[in-house]
Amino acid sequence: MALALDRRPLGKTGIEVSAMGIGSSPFRHGAAADWAGLLAEAYDCGITYYDTARSYVNGEAVIAHLPPRVRDGLTIATKTGARGGPHCLRDLQTSLRAMGRDHIDLWMTHMVETMREYELCTELGGFCDVAVAARTAGLVRATGASFHAPTEVILRAIEERAFDVVMFPFNVLGRETVFGAPISDYRDRLLPAARANGVGVVVMKVLAGGEMKHGAPRLGFLADPATGQDTLSGAIRYALMQPGIATAVLGMASRTELRRNLAAGIGVGPDPGACQRLEARVAAASPGECTRCAACLGVCPEGIEIPKVFRLLDQDRFFGMTGIARFKYARMQPDASACARCGKCAEVCPEDFDIARLLQLAHARLTQATRPAGSRQTEEENTHG
């Protein structure tokens, strides 16, 4: 029997999905019809979950260009940026028209970042009320929210069972999108809570928001030369092996990426032991001083985003991700050179190291103007990668 992508239940929705999903962020280039062939091929290869949003160019429109067997067979998730009210309903109607479908499998509110945004979703007339009504009417099969938020916000949503499904970043690097909310926290707190409450979990940023695509030579231990798996493949396998994740969404811009991702994911099931071994290897490879706890955010009188500087420094010195680290550092305003050594950050930092000295080191290492090789997605990184 040929190996295939693992199939998993999406929480208690009654929907079964492939362990790997395809995201539409790269589809913003060109016309919607240009991407139908790639999406249909992904479906024929066993990828049944497709993630998009009302705000993603071509993401919904491509569905109308698919053969009916693919359009009807995919589990399609799309999102509204609204937190409630008439804008929610209008987005739902617009999404259905754009896709040429009579229902959406998973309808989500997009990019919840704060506790207040979450509360807006749950208030009378908020997204949750609209989504439940749409589900009752048969327009939606399941409801959800994508988060770039502190752990406590997502945990509350899970424990209150506000949504059928939650989506959040997850990757082997521990590359967070919210300082003070480490990926390890998402792993150790959110995944068990989701299992306990029957909430489905979809993850994104598996390749650290696409940053790993520009090279991570010191993470060679993620590769498996015996099977032809490279570092990126190892990062993908890590997400697919993590217990409690229904599907991991990856942006794919070509058939080459599709084939690489499929080769990484086929035959991979949950393997907590393998995940723990990889986590230990990454931790040992990156003994950075800063834990990015966010205690210093907003403290610097010069406005330096200190945890971001140190994240880029660590990517450079520990993972060899020099090109992307320097590229992103060059776009920081102000950068670490603005440090006046006032000591205010040290007053709130729970760690014991010379922050000003490390900022100086970071500036010295990251100031060479280097553009990462090979991607038109550098300015706006692949949302799903």
Side-chain angles (χ1 to χ4, degrees):
M1 182 176 178
L3 292 175
L5 285 174
D6 204 17
R7 300 290 292 269
R8 300 172 185 177
L10 187 59
K12 292 186 176 179
T13 63
I15 301 171
E16 187 180 70
V17 295
S18 54
M20 180 185 297
I22 182 169
S24 67
S25 180
F27 296 3
R28 64 183 178 273
H29 303 288
D34 298 341
W35 297 98
L38 179 64
L39 187 51
E41 184 174 340
Y43 176 76
D44 289 338
C45 291
I47 295 177
T48 65
Y49 187 92
Y50 174 65
D51 179 271
T52 189
R54 183 88 284 280
S55 61
Y56 293 170
V57 176
N58 295 328
E60 293 181 340
V62 68
I63 300 300
H65 295 279
L66 294 172
R69 64 176 181 82
V70 180
R71 185 176 64 243
D72 298 337
L74 279 171
T75 295
I76 298 174
T78 193
K79 312 178 196 77
T80 171
R83 303 294 179 238
H87 291 293
C88 253
L89 187 56
R90 279 198 293 270
D91 272 0
L92 175 60
Q93 293 166 336
T94 303
S95 294
L96 289 168
R97 284 196 299 270
M99 292 189 290
R101 256 175 150 231
D102 62 4
H103 73 279
I104 294 168
D105 298 294
L106 174 56
W107 190 42
M108 311 178 85
T109 185
H110 196 183
M111 203 168 174
V112 176
E113 297 181 296
T114 66
M115 190 67 80
R116 181 56 187 147
E117 287 186 28
Y118 166 67
E119 290 170 347
L120 286 172
C121 293
T122 60
E123 287 178 356
L124 184 64
F127 171 82
C128 293
D129 281 352
V130 177
V132 168
R135 187 175 60 194
T136 302
L139 300 176
V140 169
R141 293 178 67 191
T143 72
S146 70
F147 289 90
H148 294 265
T151 308
E152 298 303 328
V153 176
I154 312 174
L155 184 62
R156 180 178 169 187
I158 291 171
E159 292 179 339
E160 293 181 351
R161 303 181 189 179
F163 311 102
D164 299 319
V165 177
V166 294
M167 182 179 191
F168 50 78
F170 195 87
N171 54 76
V172 70
L173 285 192
R175 200 286 195 191
E176 70 280 79
T177 56
V178 177
F179 295 118
I183 296 297
S184 59
D185 238 19
Y186 286 3
R187 179 192 69 223
D188 298 339
R189 300 180 65 195
L190 299 185
L191 292 181
R195 283 195 295 271
N197 287 279
V199 175
V201 173
V202 177
V203 298
M204 55 180 157
K205 309 290 186 188
V206 172
L207 299 178
E211 292 176 2
M212 290 186 69
K213 291 183 179 182
H214 302 294
R218 295 182 188 170
L219 292 173
F221 56 82
L222 294 174
D224 184 2
T227 59
Q229 304 287 330
D230 61 9
T231 300
L232 295 183
S233 299
I236 292 167
R237 291 170 70 87
Y238 169 76
L240 269 58
M241 291 189 296
Q242 192 70 48
I245 292 175
T247 189
V249 175
L250 291 150
M252 304 182 204
S254 67
R255 285 177 169 82
T256 299
E257 286 191 344
L258 171 62
R259 287 192 291 269
R260 190 273 317 282
N261 294 346
L262 285 167
I266 285 175
V268 177
D271 189 340
C275 288
Q276 289 164 9
R277 288 191 292 273
L278 288 177
E279 290 155 10
R281 292 289 299 274
V282 171
S286 53
E289 298 87 341
C290 174
T291 63
R292 301 194 289 275
C293 68
C296 63
L297 277 181
V299 170
C300 176
E302 310 303 325
I304 301 170
E305 195 175 359
I306 297 171
K308 184 174 181 178
V309 173
F310 290 155
R311 178 171 68 195
L312 295 176
L313 172 63
D314 288 354
Q315 287 180 340
D316 166 43
R317 60 179 176 164
F318 298 136
F319 300 148
M321 298 170 66
T322 301
I324 189 65
R326 288 178 177 171
F327 181 79
K328 291 201 165 187
Y329 182 74
R331 280 145 185 79
M332 286 191 69
Q333 291 296 331
D335 64 24
S337 66
C339 175
R341 304 186 71 92
C342 68
K344 291 187 180 298
C345 54
E347 293 173 5
V348 298
C349 179
E351 308 303 323
D352 184 18
F353 67 97
D354 189 336
I355 297 175
R357 184 200 61 79
L358 201 62
L359 286 171
Q360 186 178 37
L361 172 65
H363 186 70
R365 291 188 65 121
L366 299 173
T367 45
Q368 298 181 39
T370 303
R371 185 177 184 86
S375 177
R376 62 185 174 182
Q377 296 181 36
T378 301
E379 286 286 1
E380 183 183 349
E381 284 298 334
N382 186 322
T383 301
H384 302 97

